[in-house]
Amino acid sequence: MTPPRAPATATASAGTTDATTDATDATTATITAAAAAAAAAVSPPRWRLAAYGLLGLPLAMAALPVYVQVAAYYSMQRGVALATLGWVLFAARLLDTVQDPLQGHLIDRLRHGIARWLLLGGAMLALAFAGLWQPPASAVPAALWLGAMLVLAYSAHSMLNIAYLTWGARLSGGALLSASAWREGAGLAGMLIASVIPATILSGDADRIPARMALYSLAFAALLLAALLALLKLAPAWPHATPQPNGWRSALRRMASNRAFLRLLGPYFLNACSVSLPATLALFFIRDQLHAAPLAGAFLGCYFAGAACGLPLWTALARRIGVLPCWRIGMGLAVASFAGAGLLGAGDVLPYFAVCLGAGVALGADLAMPPVLLAGLIADDDAAGAYYGVLTLLGKLALALSGLALPLLAALGYRPGVGGGAALALVYAGLPCLLKLLAMAALRPQPEPMPVQLYRSRP
């Protein structure tokens, strides 16, 4: 029996259905290809993110000696009085603090001039850093020289660092957390170098310190140049932002109306103060409280090694639980690790190594989480450089205020080289723990900056 023939209308419908299916498949393929291309654009190759992160290494190599070791050097080797030294540090850091928002505004308006900006800042920083370690022999000219070199070094460091953070913040969302991890990982490697080599040089023969620090400065300048070239030639391209039509006043109004950003500023500042105080006083504490000056480099190396080891753990934890809870846990670990430091005395070397290790691991969260958290609070059409200018302003204001710890200790009777005492222990360890606890209490829930579980690249 011959089967019945399908009606013509049914055949036409079948053809239409097949054509529709083919069109749907083609559309799906096109969308899939577009999504794959977008994913590739969102997540640059790891080597490009590593090229971006490399600049963190020389920036840290310069920052650690300037913020931690230069005060002890001018006090112990050039005889600058502790109170005078503290006021010089405070004035130079305060001036540096004022200029950061202006630099952030200028960076926001850069389009094709980023290379000239970075290379100029790099040249200034290399010269100022070398000059810091070649002061006059007598105390008063040395104090004046220190002030001039600090202003130049701080200005150059701000030129580089604010542009660098803005560059990272403008990367596509898929690269943001990974770029931050590469940046902070390279920075911790630079801190390890800076904690061991300069500390070893500064604890050696006083007559050979200037020549040896000159060699260190030369190596720093070479690494800085290499990192800048890698950033400009190999990293994801500088993302051009649309300049704000109403200039800096519009940027200030938008920041002032960003309540999530304003809620972040208080805890960030308190936390920065809690980190800055021990950084300023660490070498004094190691020498006069622990009587372990030859181990200063080892202590600092342990601290930053802990931070380097902790950074990938914090990054992985942030992907799982979120950036803000991760930062809060890091703060708690810092308090738990550092709380007993003020009870240590002469010869307590092993307990202090444990303090350095625990506090160092916690430092990884302090370094990586705030920039990522801030990036999620900035709208696409906002001036990111202005936001990071304010953030670095607060960090440097905290550093400026930490310089006042030196005249405070002098007023409380502390004398370098004589002994630590309760005043040094309280200001070095007790006060930072209190500030950290206040920062934890002030930290309020923020919008998550990104779906952090999506990002896989890491150092």
Side-chain angles (χ1 to χ4, degrees):
M1 180 181 295
T2 304
R5 182 173 297 186
T9 53
T11 304
S13 297
T16 302
T17 302
D18 291 343
T20 302
T21 301
D22 291 341
T24 302
D25 291 342
T27 303
T28 302
T30 301
I31 293 173
T32 303
V42 167
S43 300
R46 291 186 182 186
W47 64 270
R48 288 193 177 276
L49 296 177
Y52 165 79
L54 183 60
L55 183 59
L57 190 149
L59 289 180
M61 282 181 65
L64 182 67
V66 170
Y67 289 123
V68 176
Q69 292 153 336
V70 74
Y73 174 64
Y74 275 77
S75 172
M76 300 172 192
Q77 304 297 336
R78 290 298 183 264
V80 179
L82 200 63
T84 301
L85 186 61
W87 286 110
V88 169
L89 292 176
F90 173 72
R93 290 171 177 175
L94 189 61
L95 179 62
D96 181 39
T97 297
V98 172
Q99 69 180 337
D100 278 4
L102 175 60
Q103 289 202 19
H105 173 66
L106 294 175
I107 289 167
D108 279 325
R109 304 185 73 83
L110 284 176
R111 296 184 65 82
H112 302 291
I114 187 62
R116 291 191 296 272
W117 178 275
L118 290 173
L119 292 174
L120 174 62
M124 290 171 54
L125 181 58
L127 292 173
F129 183 78
L132 273 171
W133 310 104
Q134 314 299 325
S138 55
V140 174
L144 296 175
W145 178 266
L146 172 63
M149 290 298 102
L150 283 177
V151 169
L152 185 59
Y154 289 156
S155 299
H157 199 278
S158 292
M159 290 178 66
L160 295 174
N161 195 47
I162 297 174
Y164 189 39
L165 291 173
T166 303
W167 192 316
R170 289 177 180 173
L171 295 177
S172 56
L176 182 57
L177 185 60
S178 296
S180 176
W182 282 105
R183 180 181 65 229
E184 303 305 336
L188 289 172
M191 289 181 182
L192 281 171
I193 295 172
S195 63
V196 175
I197 298 178
T200 302
I201 293 173
L202 295 175
S203 63
D205 185 358
D207 294 334
R208 303 182 67 180
I209 288 177
R212 290 176 174 176
M213 286 304 298
L215 291 176
Y216 179 83
S217 301
L218 184 62
F220 158 72
L223 283 172
L224 179 60
L225 177 61
L228 286 172
L229 292 177
L231 179 67
L232 294 170
K233 301 295 184 182
L234 302 177
W238 168 260
H240 300 296
T242 302
Q244 296 296 311
N246 297 324
W248 61 270
R249 292 183 180 86
S250 174
L252 288 178
R253 283 195 296 268
R254 295 189 65 149
M255 283 191 290
S257 64
N258 189 336
R259 294 192 176 185
F261 169 67
L262 297 179
R263 287 200 303 268
L264 179 64
L265 298 183
Y268 179 83
F269 176 68
L270 291 170
N271 187 68
C273 289
S274 75
V275 176
S276 300
L277 270 173
T280 300
L281 301 177
L283 295 184
F284 296 99
F285 184 85
I286 291 169
R287 186 189 64 176
D288 293 338
Q289 188 78 6
L290 303 179
H291 300 285
L295 294 175
F299 288 134
L300 293 175
C302 178
Y303 178 68
F304 292 113
C309 293
L311 183 61
L313 301 179
W314 293 118
T315 304
L317 184 62
R319 292 189 178 99
R320 182 175 295 273
I321 68 172
V323 176
L324 187 140
C326 183
W327 190 21
R328 192 188 296 274
I329 292 172
M331 289 184 183
L333 176 60
V335 173
S337 301
F338 209 65
L343 302 177
L344 302 180
D348 290 332
V349 170
L350 291 180
Y352 191 66
F353 269 118
V355 168
C356 291
L357 183 60
V361 171
L363 177 66
D366 282 337
L367 292 174
M369 297 303 114
V372 176
L373 192 63
L374 174 59
L377 306 179
I378 304 174
D380 291 340
D381 59 344
D382 266 352
Y387 280 87
Y388 281 101
V390 172
L391 207 66
T392 56
L393 180 153
L394 292 178
K396 289 178 179 179
L397 180 59
L399 281 168
L401 293 175
S402 72
L404 297 181
L406 297 177
L408 173 63
L409 286 173
L412 293 175
Y414 167 69
R415 297 292 179 267
V418 176
L424 180 59
L426 178 63
V427 178
Y428 172 75
L431 187 55
C433 287
L434 175 61
L435 292 171
K436 185 79 75 170
L437 290 171
L438 291 175
M440 291 178 65
L443 197 59
R444 295 288 184 266
Q446 306 280 353
E448 271 302 326
M450 64 190 73
V452 291
Q453 70 275 9
L454 296 179
Y455 310 121
R456 306 297 182 195
S457 175
R458 64 187 61 138

